[in-house]
Amino acid sequence: MVGRLPPDRYIFRGQPVCNRLRTSFHRTSRRDLNQFLSIDIPQLHAIVTSKTNHYFDLRDNIQNAAFWNLLQHHGYPTPLIAPNGLKISSSYILSLT
């Protein structure tokens, strides 16, 4: 199926159903972005920095993004979406048109 689709017209994601593209943050009860920024991030930052040798300076946009990416990598719901153009990685698609 995927091989017959026009190239560069779809984004492939690993979601188990063909619904609109949403992050795990938005698919769960953790939808409040203000709470995420003002409560979750400071609490998680304190926990993570106490357990690692690296200090993430959240005032630096790159380190803040790296921190959010680390959270998402370990399964914490974040509002980040990482579209993947590799057709081989997933059979679920989102039409760009």
Side-chain angles (χ1 to χ4, degrees), residues 63-81:
Q63 289 194 37
N64 191 29
F67 181 70
W68 285 31
N69 185 43
L70 179 70
L71 296 176
Q72 184 174 14
H73 174 74
H74 287 285
Y76 195 85
T78 71
L80 300 176
I81 281 189

Side-chain angles (χ1 to χ4, degrees), residues 25-44:
F25 176 81
H26 293 97
R27 288 190 308 267
T28 65
S29 60
R30 307 186 74 75
R31 299 171 197 204
D32 187 343
L33 189 56
N34 290 325
Q35 178 183 340
F36 179 77
L37 294 172
S38 64
I39 298 172
D40 294 2
I41 290 295
Q43 287 180 354
L44 291 163

Side-chain angles (χ1 to χ4, degrees), residues 11-73:
I11 293 176
F12 293 79
R13 292 286 299 157
Q15 293 183 7
V17 293
C18 291
N19 290 332
R20 66 184 181 164
L21 185 60
R22 294 173 39 190
T23 67
S24 59
F25 176 81
H26 293 97
R27 288 190 308 267
T28 65
S29 60
R30 307 186 74 75
R31 299 171 197 204
D32 187 343
L33 189 56
N34 290 325
Q35 178 183 340
F36 179 77
L37 294 172
S38 64
I39 298 172
D40 294 2
I41 290 295
Q43 287 180 354
L44 291 163
H45 185 256
I47 293 167
V48 169
T49 55
S50 73
K51 307 266 185 223
T52 66
N53 293 328
H54 183 76
Y55 178 80
F56 290 94
D57 183 359
L58 299 182
R59 296 169 297 178
D60 179 296
N61 287 338
I62 293 175
Q63 289 194 37
N64 191 29
F67 181 70
W68 285 31
N69 185 43
L70 179 70
L71 296 176
Q72 184 174 14
H73 174 74

